[in-house]
Amino acid sequence: MTKRTSAKYKLDRRMGENIWGRAKSPVNRREYGPGQHGQRRKNKLSDFGTQLRAKQKLKGYYGDLTEKQFRRIYAEAERLRGDTGEMLVGLLERRLDAVVYRAKFVPTIWAARQFVNHGHVEVNGQRVNIPSYRVKEGDVISIRERSRQLAIVLEAVSLTERDVPDYLDADHNKMTATFVRTPSLGDIPYAVQMEPNLVVEFYAKN
C-alpha cells in the first residue's frame, strides 16, 4: 500500500486541481499546494516538470498504484499496436478496481480496491479479489448477493456527482455491469484533463 490511502487529497492540493471531481476536495476551498510554502509554488514548470506532473496525476488517479506497477502497465501499453497513450489509459480502465469504481458500486477508487480485496466482487460468476485483474470486453462484473445492501454500495449508487460511462452497461437494480468495450481517452470521464502523451514523453526520456 502507498501513502495515498491515508492522504488521498494531498494529490489534489499538490496539483491544484480537483482530480476526482469530489465535493469534499480541499481545492474547492484553496487552490494552492499543501504545506507552509504552498502559496509560493507557482513557478513555471520545465518540460521535465510538466511531464512528471502528468505522470504523477494519472498514476495517482488510480489510487494505490506504485511506480513499479505503473511502469509495468506503461511497458505493456508500449508493446501494443496503436497510440501508446491511448493504450495506457485503456489498460488502466480495464483494471477490476477501476471498473467497480466507474460502475458506481463504490464512491472512490480507494474504496474499490478495498472492496475487491475483501471478496465482494464477481467476474462472470466467479469471485475475484485481485484489484489489478484485467477485465475483458463482454465480462460481467457483479456485486456478491450478500454484499449488495452494504452502506457503501447504497451510498455510491445514489451519488449524483458522476455518471456511469457508456463503455459500461450497468444495472444498479441487479448490481451488475458489463464491460462493453475498451475506452479511448475521449470516452473516459476524468474530472480534469489527463495528458497521457506527456507520460509517454516522460518515460521515453527517463
Side-chain angles (χ1 to χ4, degrees):
M1 298 281 270
T2 67
K3 292 181 181 177
R4 187 75 62 238
T5 307
S6 59
K8 53 182 176 286
Y9 288 126
K10 274 190 177 180
L11 185 67
D12 276 7
R13 292 284 306 281
R14 192 162 70 241
M15 298 295 168
E17 297 180 86
N18 188 349
I19 305 298
W20 297 275
R22 301 216 72 202
K24 294 180 181 179
S25 173
V27 174
N28 295 340
R29 297 189 298 276
R30 49 188 181 270
E31 296 183 357
Y32 52 85
Q36 181 180 355
H37 305 292
Q39 296 184 65
R40 300 182 193 173
R41 296 181 193 138
K42 292 290 185 181
N43 296 336
K44 191 174 187 298
L45 291 174
S46 64
D47 287 347
F48 172 82
T50 303
Q51 294 158 4
L52 176 62
R53 180 187 173 95
K55 191 264 291 186
Q56 295 294 73
K57 185 163 66 169
L58 185 62
K59 179 166 73 76
Y61 181 91
Y62 288 92
D64 286 328
L65 290 184
T66 64
E67 178 61 26
K68 184 177 179 180
Q69 289 172 318
F70 192 74
R71 185 92 190 219
R72 189 164 58 238
I73 295 169
Y74 172 79
E76 186 175 350
E78 201 173 26
R79 290 193 297 269
L80 297 173
R81 294 181 64 181
D83 182 271
T84 301
E86 291 279 355
M87 297 299 110
L88 175 61
V89 294
L91 290 174
L92 289 167
E93 286 292 312
R94 285 175 56 195
R95 287 175 55 94
L96 181 57
D97 55 357
V99 174
V100 168
Y101 169 63
R102 290 291 185 218
K104 286 182 64 176
F105 293 145
V106 292
T108 68
I109 191 68
W110 302 275
R113 184 181 181 88
Q114 189 175 49
F115 198 69
V116 175
N117 265 330
H118 289 181
H120 297 299
V121 177
E122 295 178 345
V123 178
N124 300 327
Q126 300 295 315
R127 187 164 67 122
V128 178
N129 61 1
I130 303 169
S132 61
Y133 177 89
R134 187 73 52 75
V135 174
K136 300 186 296 293
E137 293 181 3
D139 280 354
V140 177
I141 296 85
S142 57
I143 305 304
R144 298 186 75 191
E145 188 77 39
R146 67 182 187 182
S147 306
R148 295 179 183 181
Q149 295 304 311
L150 290 174
I152 191 173
V153 177
L154 299 178
E155 175 201 346
V157 168
S158 65
L159 283 175
T160 57
E161 61 187 24
R162 60 190 177 92
D163 298 318
V164 178
D166 62 7
Y167 51 89
L168 291 175
D169 184 7
D171 185 334
H172 289 149
N173 291 319
K174 296 180 180 178
M175 291 296 178
T176 64
T178 302
F179 189 76
V180 178
R181 59 184 172 80
T182 301
S184 60
L185 178 61
D187 299 322
I188 303 172
Y190 293 122
V192 297
Q193 183 181 9
M194 292 294 179
E195 299 168 296
N197 59 307
L198 294 181
V199 180
V200 175
E201 290 177 16
F202 174 85
Y203 282 124
K205 296 176 181 177
N206 298 282

